[in-house]
Amino acid sequence: MLAARRDPVLESMPLGYMAVDGDWRVTYVNAAGEAVVGQSWDELVGSDYWTAFPANVDNEFGRAYREVVATGRPQTIEAFYPEPLNRWFEVHAVPVPDGLTLYFSEVTAQRLAQDRLALLARVGTELTGTLDLAEAVRRIPRLVVPELGEACLLTVLDDEGRPRDLGSWHSDPARRDALTRYASVRLPGMPPTAPVVRALGGETVAADGADVLAALPDAEAHALYRELGAPSVLAVPLPGRDRVIGALTFLAGTGSSAVRVDPLTAREVAGRVGLALDNVRLFARQQQVAETLQRSLLTRPRRSPLGRIAVRYTPAAEAARVGGDWYDAFTQPGGGTTLVIGDVVGHDTAAAAAMGQLRSLLRGIAAYSDAGPAEVLRGLDTAMATLAVDTYATAAVARFQRSEEDAGTGRTRMTLSNAGHLPPLVLAPGGGPVVLPEGPGDLLLGVDPDSPRTEWTVSLDRGTTVLLFTDGLVERRTTDLDSGLARLAATARELAGRPLGVLCDELIERLVQGRPEDDVALVALRLDGRDTLG
């Protein structure tokens, strides 16, 4: 029912007020409501709401109002009302038996400051500790929408200074595909005057939709931006430690649904995002350098006449990607094939440097002396003390030899000495475990050079697989070592019939799922009598 005259009670309310009946006709608006919506009593009362506010037909306001009427549940929407108000309001939509009532309450400066601090805190919390570039890129645009616009695009400069749009998010699910396509085509050919290009140069740039369209030379990008509603934008640089590393482009929307993007908040968010991305990029660069160094120290093994050799190294997923794990495989002067596995205490560049020293020393001792595993480890321990290599390490050395008599039976003798390392896993040709003698448990390297070193020998059939590995393959924070070793044995028996390289890859995939808590190194030999390398 239309109000014939103003109600003194409603007019005295400090809140803006509007009533709409079940046919979506405006039945009342008070003076405070007129000021908020920018239309008068005479223009509104008796009019069709959707005609009076055409922009609301398919925006968040219209969708929310229809949902309130359909469900009977009230909703609150926050929006910025431009000049002459230039203020934020909460619109409370409340269902009534004959339609809908709307209350407009101004959001105070204190409330805006609280919301701003909450947004900054959320951005900081979400990005703290994120050292995966893909994950950071995925999170960032979602963190700031819809508080800072209806959509956001993340642009990052690569190492050659070329911009790439790596992330985007739209508050409207129906427009996310269009935004993704727009991000994939908008940058090529953009002139220096384009907001995002200027932001990449260090400026904070506000522009309306017409200015953005004028800076889009690509016809497809032009069409997609129109499909997005040609919103106004705020483009903000992402400051790194010593240069701009990218930009955030906030899309504010159009018409009454436009969300004001506060430049101060946007710049503070961009500062936190820029620092987080710079940390990710620096970490990724350090990872690459460290892993390249690590792999350069772990050379490809030489071929063996006794069988196929496979080696694998997988760095820890969350560490500095450099550590003390190593493998080796080589032929000694007397013709024996020697496998080595070792682990220096520590997970840093010092551990990697020590690993390189120990690996080279052990190789030199074994190649010069042609000694057995126990003597090689004793010589290494002595060299560490003499040369003041101040570290501790575990290691196992296995030498494989085949005499003329052995060649006739197809058997190979394995001699092993173990300095505090995990025992090897040995699988018979059919996949069953080979029971090995229990060693006395020799001391790890670097403690006492006079500590005795022991060794034992076992005869293995053709087709036997020997696997030496570091503890990253089997140790977990949530389970004990025995459980990890049992799981390794069961998995290896299941995979025993696979080619040696496939066996090694599958063991790593199944036991650590590609994200080991510690470095994983392994070296394996399958005795088959052919001069091959896998």
Side-chain angles (χ1 to χ4, degrees), residues 106-115:
E106 183 176 355
V107 179
T108 65
Q110 181 180 3
R111 161 69 186 283
L112 291 174
Q114 290 173 341
D115 290 347

Side-chain angles (χ1 to χ4, degrees), residues 483-518:
S483 297
L485 290 171
R487 187 180 176 206
L488 169 63
T491 306
R493 286 196 297 271
E494 180 184 343
L495 299 169
R498 306 285 182 88
L500 187 60
V502 175
L503 168 67
C504 294
D505 292 335
E506 284 290 321
L507 283 176
I508 293 174
E509 177 60 30
R510 294 193 189 188
L511 295 181
V512 303
Q513 289 83 46
R515 296 185 63 81
E517 297 173 1
D518 193 1

